[in-house]
Amino acid sequence: MIRVAVTGIGVISALGPNRESFWRALSAGESGIRPMEIVAPGTVRFPNAAEARHYRTEDHFDEKEASLLDRFAQFAAVAAREAILDAGIKWTTDLQERTAIVTGSSTGGQTSEDESFRDYYERKQTRFSPFAIPKAMSNAGASRISFEHGVTGPVYTVSTACSSANHAIGQAFWLIRNGEARLAIAGGSEAPFSPGMLKAWEGMRVVSPDTCRPFSLDRKGLILGEGAGMLVLEHLDHAQSRGAHIYGEIAGFGMSSDAHHLTQPLAAGAARAMRSALRDADAPAEATWYINAHGTGTLANDPTETEAIRAVFGARISNVMVSSTKSMHGHALGAAGALEAAATLLALSRKIIPPTANFLAPDPACDLDVVPNTARAVEVEWALSNSFAFGGLNAVLAFRR
Amino acid sequence: MDEDFESRVIKVIAKTQRIPLETVSIDSTFEELKIDSLDGINLIFALESEFNVDIPDEDARSIRSVRQMAEGIAQLLAQKPPQQGAA
């Protein structure tokens, strides 16, 4: 079977404008959650968010380019540039034809859409810019990456709310494993901070009034985040033959649907996706695992995810460390799985497990080793990264150092 | 709580939940009415609009019955400052 290596990582997040700033903060247990700047205080009940405040459009795009790209598509393109540079890819026509791009996004260019609709409804402007449609489409990020790098293989976008990026990376993994592509750029990007979207999240009553405390007593909900994570996936032989640095391998991918409820998670559904990823990865029974949890910090997710993890690992639970890096980079929705894949690969390759930050005290309903507040220097070979979406759609990736 | 107020709350619940009015009473629990967590939040949204009050997230989560809901809203209405400058 074809094995799939990860040879490049690019990240934009609340923790900084690139991969190394992201890892520095994660490994130090530092949170990027701050008072929200994007809307006026008092616009929504929750004051804090994980904004990519270091990001400046003019550092990456000229004015003409920027006018054609929503923030989420800019994030995708910039993270992909970093990942491709990191991997040291030298493009040839043949490689461009055999490269795939699969991106995830939950809401696409909704910031641009919100703005254009406000022009129409609120400011009574009767004409729309011709850019409104191509800026808002969810594949705008994937298309931009394709233009920039001349990638002419299979390019598409997956949208499954908070599982989008994991579904996207899983698809790209399959494209390589099935021989459809030799190289793939895969991940997710999200820029959900428009006034309309923030009000909609307020209406759901799942956003914390202070910070994100996954698996902790007194957790009060999730914190919205933004950013992008992009990986370069590569046929292992291809990576080895060109002497590329390998962060790790994607060893397995599992999906399931709860078929249960629009917003309530179901442990059995989450467990099935995890088991499927584990079967695919075919790891030894005695392996020690790191799980980068979905860990949103909501009342509903964390105990359900705990139940699922316990059901899957049973007596082997003592060999499992779990942390939620959402406590630091926030919940970046359709980009979440990509940020967390980056965190997981860096954890394996640099031998440090990032903690669950903002942890106050154990919740008996979440009795796992959640690596509270302080990173742990430990060598782990195997990891899972969980994503569970509203609508009950689950996607789990398995990694190997 | 007066009866008019209670019946207004019940009406909003029946309408929002799309269930017959006579199935809802002040003593109904959300469980009996098959109101799950998402329905509960949607009910709060409807009642906030009906009574023009803001129900905090923490309170919203603990409400599990029609009576708790009605009492909570009555309390918020009592705390509300009187409207100023109405012509």
Side-chain angles (χ1 to χ4, degrees), chain A residues 45 202-207 209 220-221 261-264 299, chain B residues 36-39 41 44-45 48 54-58 60-61:
Chain A
R45 268 198 295 267
E202 179 184 64
M204 274 218 78
R205 294 174 186 268
V206 290
V207 181
K220 296 198 168 85
H261 191 271
L262 206 48
T263 56
Q264 272 170 17
L299 292 178
Chain B
D36 68 19
S37 58
L38 185 60
D39 293 331
I41 289 166
I44 285 164
F45 164 66
E48 281 185 332
D54 287 317
I55 302 169
D57 287 357
E58 297 249 326
R61 286 194 193 110

Side-chain angles (χ1 to χ4, degrees), chain A residues 10-27:
Chain A
V11 180
I12 293 173
S13 74
L15 302 172
N18 51 39
R19 176 186 64 253
E20 292 311 315
S21 53
F22 176 72
W23 179 247
R24 245 192 326 274
L26 288 184
S27 54

Side-chain angles (χ1 to χ4, degrees), chain A residues 262-305:
Chain A
L262 206 48
T263 56
Q264 272 170 17
L266 187 73
R272 273 193 299 117
M274 290 166 68
R275 280 197 191 99
S276 167
L278 287 170
R279 261 199 310 276
D280 199 17
D282 198 23
E286 69 279 7
T288 294
W289 288 84
Y290 166 55
I291 302 179
N292 187 301
H294 186 55
T296 55
T298 61
L299 292 178
N301 176 80
D302 298 359
T304 309
E305 187 167 8

